[in-house]
């Protein structure tokens, strides 16, 4: 039986990934600071522990695993990443985890290691025009990410690639672009735009306004979770050692995203634009390289994905203890 480790399995993408690995017949060891918030983990073993602790890392990555997915990170939407006050914590925590996990992989001869980098590594200068941002993989240098979260991801990419060159690991690196779906954070300050808008729209009554940061004309693309998992598995099991975008190419303004969700809700709502963190002006995935390298790119399913996410958040709010 093949074996896998999922670090960060108590989180959004990690939870979905464990389910997929079980479906593929793997024995799975999961690790996280906390249990999964929204469902019982499908993992064979779930270790509650802190990956900043080097000893813990060596104990849980104690033998050669066929695949390891390192998804644990200090993570959030733009309110968290662009707040400024969490920068030291984000860089310190995520970098410590990556250093520890890579050392444990080297010592245990676990070679095939997946790392999720982010669209946040791309330079600000290429993302000033909302209608024509450039996020092709080879535009990442000279580096100029717009957040310390992005700088940490960029350095981590280099760390994984370095362990590949110097210690025989086989890193597989994705640059995810805004992944969304059920079982992701939807309140508390770490949620991303689709979940935050779904929550606000579920809670709003006809005739009310929902608040949107900035003028609403900033663009993004959003990748539904099933496509993220499919891309992650395909990349990890491929021979491609360079970072690839895993994202959607369907660019929408934040206003359009809100309108799509309002339509799904069947409500009559207004949009009120308020001051708040917005990040770069435009960002969307460029899938030319993933198509060329994997012969695959994510399916575009924004509307269907939003319907499923909206229904799930509506359920969460209904069932929340009062
Ligand atoms: P998430 O916050 O839902 O999951 C991360 C998990 O890591 C959490 O459950 C958290 O408890 C765990 N974790 C944090 N510190 C830990 C520690 N010290 N020890 C053990 N566990 C720890 O985030 P996610 O959306 O599932 O993202 C997973 C990965 O993908 C992250 O590395 C993130 O940076 C990356 N990524 C995500 C997106 C996205 O849109 N969701 C985009 C780009 C990159």
């Amino acid at each position: 039986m093949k074996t896998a480790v999922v670090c960060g399995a108590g989180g959004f993408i990690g939870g979905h990934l464990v389910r997929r690995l079980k479906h593929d017949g793997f024995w799975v060891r999961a690790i996280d600071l906390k249990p999964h918030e929204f469902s019982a983990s499908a993992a064979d073993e779930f270790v509650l522990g802190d990956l900043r602790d080097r000893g813990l890392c060596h104990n849980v990555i104690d033998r050669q695993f066929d695949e390891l997915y390192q998804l644990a990170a200090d993570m959030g939407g733009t309110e968290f990443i662009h707040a400024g006050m969490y920068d030291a914590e984000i860089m310190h925590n995520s970098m410590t985890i990556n250093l520890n996990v890579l050392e444990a992989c080297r010592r245990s001869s676990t070679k095939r290691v997946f790392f999720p980098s982010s669209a946040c590594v791309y330079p600000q200068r290429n993302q000033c025009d909302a209608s024509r941002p450039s996020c092709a993989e080879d535009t990442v240098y000279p580096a100029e990410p717009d957040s310390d979260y992005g700088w940490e991801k960029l350095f981590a990419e280099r760390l994984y690639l370095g362990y590949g060159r110097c210690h025989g690991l086989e890193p597989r690196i994705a640059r995810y672009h805004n992944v969304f779906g059920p079982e992701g954070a939807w309140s508390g300050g770490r949620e991303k735009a689709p979940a935050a808008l779904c929550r606000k729209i579920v809670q709003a009554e006809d005739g009310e306004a929902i608040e949107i940061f900035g003028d609403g004309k900033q663009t993004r693309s959003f990748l539904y979770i099933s496509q993220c998992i499919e891309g992650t598995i395909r990349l990890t099991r491929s021979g491609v050692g360079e970072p690839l975008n895993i994202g959607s190419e369907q660019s929408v303004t934040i206003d359009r995203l809100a309108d799509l969700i309002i339509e799904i809700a069947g409500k009559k709502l207004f949009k009120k634009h308020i001051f708040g963190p917005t990040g770069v002006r435009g960002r969307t995935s460029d899938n030319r390289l993933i198509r060329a390298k994997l012969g695959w790119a994510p399916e575009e399913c924004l509307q269907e994905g939003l319907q499923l996410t909206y229904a799930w958040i509506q359920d969460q709010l209904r069932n929340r203890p009062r």
Side-chain angles (χ1 to χ4, degrees):
M1 196 178 207
K2 289 206 166 188
T3 56
V5 175
V6 179
C7 303
F12 168 45
I13 300 173
H16 285 275
L17 183 63
V18 169
R19 233 174 268 142
R20 168 63 188 265
L21 289 166
K22 286 307 300 169
H23 177 265
D24 289 356
F26 276 66
W27 184 91
V28 180
R29 176 173 287 167
I31 306 138
D32 204 297
L33 281 174
K34 59 167 182 63
H36 197 285
E37 224 172 299
F38 304 113
S39 57
S41 175
D44 296 279
E45 229 179 74
F46 197 108
V47 180
L48 280 179
D50 190 337
L51 292 160
R52 288 169 299 182
D53 173 346
R54 196 174 184 159
L56 180 275
C57 267
H58 291 291
N59 288 340
V60 290
I61 309 167
D62 57 347
R63 67 189 102 124
Q64 187 177 31
F65 286 86
D66 294 299
E67 295 174 4
L68 182 139
Y69 298 82
Q70 197 317 74
L71 306 176
D74 246 332
M75 164 68 192
T78 188
E79 256 187 290
F80 180 71
I81 285 172
H82 292 106
M85 67 181 118
Y86 306 115
D87 290 348
E89 196 181 318
I90 290 171
M91 289 189 288
H92 176 272
N93 291 345
S94 297
M95 189 46 64
T96 308
I97 296 170
N98 287 320
L99 288 165
N100 286 345
V101 168
L102 278 169
E103 259 311 284
C105 287
R106 183 183 67 79
R107 281 167 53 147
S108 63
S109 301
T110 296
K111 291 192 183 312
R112 190 55 64 101
V113 181
F114 173 83
F115 174 68
S117 180
S118 164
C120 293
V121 297
Y122 288 111
Q124 291 185 62
R125 65 178 172 277
N126 293 347
Q127 301 173 86
C128 300
D129 180 347
S131 60
R132 282 189 318 132
S134 166
C135 292
E137 285 84 344
D138 60 1
T139 63
V140 79
Y141 292 108
E144 193 203 5
D146 80 320
S147 64
D148 282 340
Y149 170 81
W151 277 105
E152 190 279 326
K153 287 290 189 192
L154 197 56
F155 181 74
E157 286 188 2
R158 301 190 72 96
L159 188 67
Y160 280 79
L161 293 171
Y163 266 74
R165 285 192 307 276
C166 304
H167 295 311
L169 266 63
E170 297 166 351
R172 297 290 179 262
I173 301 173
R175 293 182 183 148
Y176 287 159
H177 291 243
N178 286 316
V179 185
F180 76 100
E183 302 194 352
W186 58 273
S187 65
R190 293 207 181 198
E191 62 280 16
K192 297 192 151 207
L197 287 170
C198 283
R199 185 196 69 235
K200 291 178 189 179
I201 292 167
V202 172
Q203 290 176 318
E205 305 283 348
D206 273 345
E208 288 183 356
I210 51 152
E211 291 186 338
I212 291 181
F213 288 151
D215 64 4
K217 294 188 174 55
Q218 62 274 34
T219 57
R220 292 292 184 276
S221 69
F222 299 96
L223 182 69
Y224 189 59
I225 183 68
S226 61
Q227 298 304 301
C228 166
I229 298 297
E230 186 61 35
T232 299
I233 294 287
R234 283 178 187 254
L235 172 57
T236 303
R237 296 178 189 162
S238 77
V240 182
E242 67 199 280
L244 292 184
N245 286 330
I246 296 190
S248 159
E249 287 183 314
Q250 189 180 348
S251 172
V252 289
T253 63
I254 297 299
D255 272 353
R256 173 75 185 133
L257 181 72
D259 288 338
L260 284 170
I261 303 171
I262 292 171
E263 249 169 60
I264 289 167
K267 294 188 180 181
K268 289 195 172 56
L269 303 175
F270 302 97
K271 299 186 291 288
K272 181 177 167 194
H273 297 104
I274 59 164
F275 179 77
T278 54
V280 292
R281 192 66 182 151
R283 174 176 287 160
T284 186
S285 187
D286 180 326
N287 291 346
R288 285 173 296 174
L289 192 61
I290 195 170
R291 266 193 210 99
K293 294 282 179 181
L294 298 186
W296 176 90
E299 279 171 31
E300 300 295 355
C301 52
L302 178 62
Q303 236 142 333
E304 298 90 318
L306 287 174
Q307 274 165 0
L308 294 167
T309 308
Y310 183 83
W312 180 78
I313 292 177
Q314 197 172 30
D315 255 25
Q316 292 294 305
L317 276 158
R318 263 195 211 123
N319 301 328
R320 188 160 69 168
R322 290 175 190 278

